[in-house]
Amino acid sequence: MSLKRTTPLASALLLAAALLSPPVVTAAPAGTLAVPDISLANVQAHLNSFQTIANSNGGNRAHGRPGYRASIDYVKAKLDAVGYTTSVQQFTHSGATGYNLIADWPGGDVNNTLMFGGHLDSVAAGPGINDNGTGSAGILEVALTVARENLKPQKHLRFGWWGAEELGLIGSNYYVAQLPAAEKSRIKGYLNFDMIGSPNPGYFVYSASGQPTGSAQLQQTLQAAFSGVVATELTSVGGRSDHAAFARAGIPVGGLFTGAETIKTSAQASKWGGSAGVAFDRCYHRSCDTTANLETTSLDRMSDAIAYSLWTLAGVGTPPASKFENTDDLALPDQATVESPITVSGVAGNAPSALVLGVDITHTYRGDLVIDLVAPDGTAFRVKNSSSDSADNLVTTYTVDASGEAANGVWKLRVRDAGPQDVGTLNSWYLQF
């Protein structure tokens, strides 16, 4: 976490003020693929590599130092090898070149991008294994698991490792500032993971309070990742980490945190174990932040929670709805029957049990209308009978159980005017599978 932070006393007050209500649990959507277990051994292997890099480069992985560039190269090589599209973004701070690493998983809707990130740099005083080798390694292993699973999510997945966070969130601020407005609008959520293996850990979820609209879904998803495993607390991390630039840009944000210099309370020790009256991380920003400065149960749970949030939020296993529409105007003569066709193709198997039919009809007495949806084999599904409803026009949707019908073929909307005097126009209609 960044050096630009509150004092320990202020941090303690922030945590004391955090919302302590029971978590709001949001279950993964029905049909979502099972979330894989993230290998703790693999996460630890990445951390061992970060430690080795620091040992070989003056004991740290700080901005402008060779250990940071070596860390970028390590992560990039892992991602390149499994098919990510990676780019290294350069910036300058305090007379030294800094680097962000961005990795995109091919596929998904780029107009609906979900982003995961954390900072990769350490302070100059030490190797920064908990802060923030842990977040960086957890994100990396989740990204590699995406590749192993050959994941094909609905949303586009992007990962970021930020430079010079410890000097004031420099890398992430630069990344967001360089994005054109259209590119910012494509990012529908950013999740930040900064310190997820503290030796005296807490289980903190970033609070959505005061954050951009849409952040509540991220908060609730991260809370749900721990449901039945361990209790969580909401915490307001303010501008202490790399989510801040995204939040200022109006992008929904969320994240996880196991605690830094703030002291664990007796109540928290009773809930989570560990030592009351001791900092969550006594080696925070010190030379002793090494691979010996970790608690592996929290590291394992937090890494799994990153995967849970990705698999849940990315729309995995539920293909996007296919919509077919006919927008040709069709006159509805008085006391006559007309049909309008739609050709459906490329939809596997049968139609769903909740096929959505949308209609837009201009008419001077909608009670006259009788409407059937006709399947490709001629089966008719009555969706509306005539009635005494004297209101004008009909713009609505219906749900049809068409699960016994093949999806592909020519579907028809049959509209009959069953009463005298009034006429209208079928403006458009659609089917959504």
Side-chain angles (χ1 to χ4, degrees), residues 1 15 18 30 68 73 85 98 103 130 141 166 173 193 225 239 261 274 306 308 337 372 379 386 388 411 426:
M1 280 205 164
L15 286 176
Y68 181 70
D73 292 343
T85 300
N130 184 39
E141 189 55 32
E166 298 291 7
N173 283 337
F193 304 97
E261 78 281 19
I306 299 173
Y308 178 92
T337 299
D372 295 285
T379 301
S386 60
S388 59
W411 293 74
L426 172 61

Side-chain angles (χ1 to χ4, degrees), residues 44 47-48 51 127-130 134 197-200 281-283 287-296:
Q44 290 178 297
L47 294 172
N48 289 335
Q51 181 73 65
I129 298 304
N130 184 39
T134 53
S198 302
N200 189 29
D281 184 356
R282 287 177 290 183
C283 288
S287 61
C288 58
D289 187 10
T290 67
T291 50
N293 185 49
L294 299 172
E295 198 275 336
T296 57

Side-chain angles (χ1 to χ4, degrees), residues 10 50 77 86 111 123 147 207 240 254 275 289 296 346 374 417:
F50 292 149
T86 62
N111 292 313
V123 294
S207 172
R240 294 184 60 169
S275 302
D289 187 10
T296 57
V374 183
D417 186 308

Side-chain angles (χ1 to χ4, degrees), residues 23-28 205 219-229 232 308:
V24 179
V25 177
T26 302
V205 175
Q219 172 199 305
Q220 292 164 5
T221 300
L222 290 168
Q223 288 174 303
F226 298 96
S227 179
V229 177
T232 58
Y308 178 92

Side-chain angles (χ1 to χ4, degrees), residues 384-410:
K384 182 185 181 302
N385 286 307
S386 60
S387 69
S388 59
D389 184 354
S390 62
D392 293 342
N393 308 329
L394 182 68
V395 181
T396 191
T397 59
Y398 303 98
T399 300
V400 180
D401 182 357
S403 56
E405 303 294 326
N408 296 327
V410 178

Side-chain angles (χ1 to χ4, degrees), residues 7-337:
T7 64
L9 175 58
S11 294
L13 292 173
L14 270 174
L15 286 176
L19 300 175
L20 300 178
S21 57
V24 179
V25 177
T26 302
T32 298
L33 292 176
V35 180
D37 178 65
I38 300 302
S39 168
L40 174 62
N42 289 355
V43 175
Q44 290 178 297
H46 300 316
L47 294 172
N48 289 335
S49 294
F50 292 149
Q51 181 73 65
T52 298
I53 287 169
N55 293 345
S56 301
N57 291 280
N60 65 63
R61 300 179 304 104
H63 168 73
R65 309 292 180 87
Y68 181 70
R69 182 60 204 238
S71 298
I72 284 282
D73 292 343
Y74 171 83
V75 176
K76 184 177 187 298
K78 292 287 186 182
L79 297 166
D80 288 341
V82 297
Y84 278 85
T85 300
T86 62
S87 61
V88 176
Q89 182 183 50
Q90 294 190 21
F91 58 90
T92 301
H93 182 71
S94 297
T97 301
Y99 306 96
N100 294 324
L101 174 63
I102 310 300
D104 287 83
W105 180 239
D109 179 5
V110 294
N111 292 313
N112 200 358
T113 294
L114 184 63
M115 194 165 185
F116 297 76
H119 73 92
L120 186 54
D121 63 314
S122 74
V123 294
I129 298 304
N130 184 39
D131 184 18
N132 180 41
T134 53
S136 293
I139 298 163
L140 173 58
E141 189 55 32
V142 169
L144 296 176
T145 303
V146 166
R148 291 188 200 103
E149 298 279 326
N150 193 26
L151 204 61
K152 299 185 185 301
Q154 294 174 30
K155 295 180 182 177
H156 182 70
L157 299 178
R158 180 174 298 157
F159 300 84
W161 288 263
W162 312 118
E165 186 268 1
E166 298 291 7
L167 303 180
L169 317 179
I170 305 302
S172 55
N173 283 337
Y174 182 82
Y175 172 77
V176 174
Q178 296 301 306
L179 287 175
E183 290 299 315
K184 289 177 187 175
S185 70
R186 290 177 168 180
I187 302 175
K188 305 305 184 186
Y190 171 78
L191 291 92
N192 193 64
F193 304 97
D194 187 355
M195 302 179 67
I196 61 169
S198 302
N200 189 29
Y203 290 85
F204 297 105
V205 175
Y206 289 14
S207 172
S209 178
Q211 300 297 351
T213 301
S215 299
Q217 182 190 16
L218 306 185
Q219 172 199 305
Q220 292 164 5
T221 300
L222 290 168
Q223 288 174 303
F226 298 96
S227 179
V229 177
V230 66
T232 58
E233 288 184 12
L234 296 180
T235 186
S236 177
V237 291
R240 294 184 60 169
S241 195
D242 293 296
H243 66 289
F246 293 87
R248 286 195 300 273
I251 296 168
V253 295
L256 296 175
F257 177 43
T258 50
E261 78 281 19
T262 303
I263 303 302
K264 179 180 279 188
T265 67
S266 296
Q268 289 169 333
S270 296
K271 178 166 51 180
W272 293 325
S275 302
V278 177
F280 292 102
D281 184 356
R282 287 177 290 183
C283 288
Y284 171 69
H285 284 184
R286 298 173 59 194
S287 61
C288 58
D289 187 10
T290 67
T291 50
N293 185 49
L294 299 172
E295 198 275 336
T296 57
T297 298
S298 62
L299 179 61
D300 189 22
R301 288 170 172 171
M302 288 275 172
S303 298
D304 287 341
I306 299 173
Y308 178 92
S309 64
L310 187 153
W311 258 254
T312 301
L313 294 167
V316 177
T318 307
S322 297
K323 185 175 181 180
F324 300 85
E325 188 169 13
N326 187 330
T327 59
D328 293 334
D329 289 349
L330 181 62
L332 302 177
D334 190 29
Q335 294 184 304
T337 299

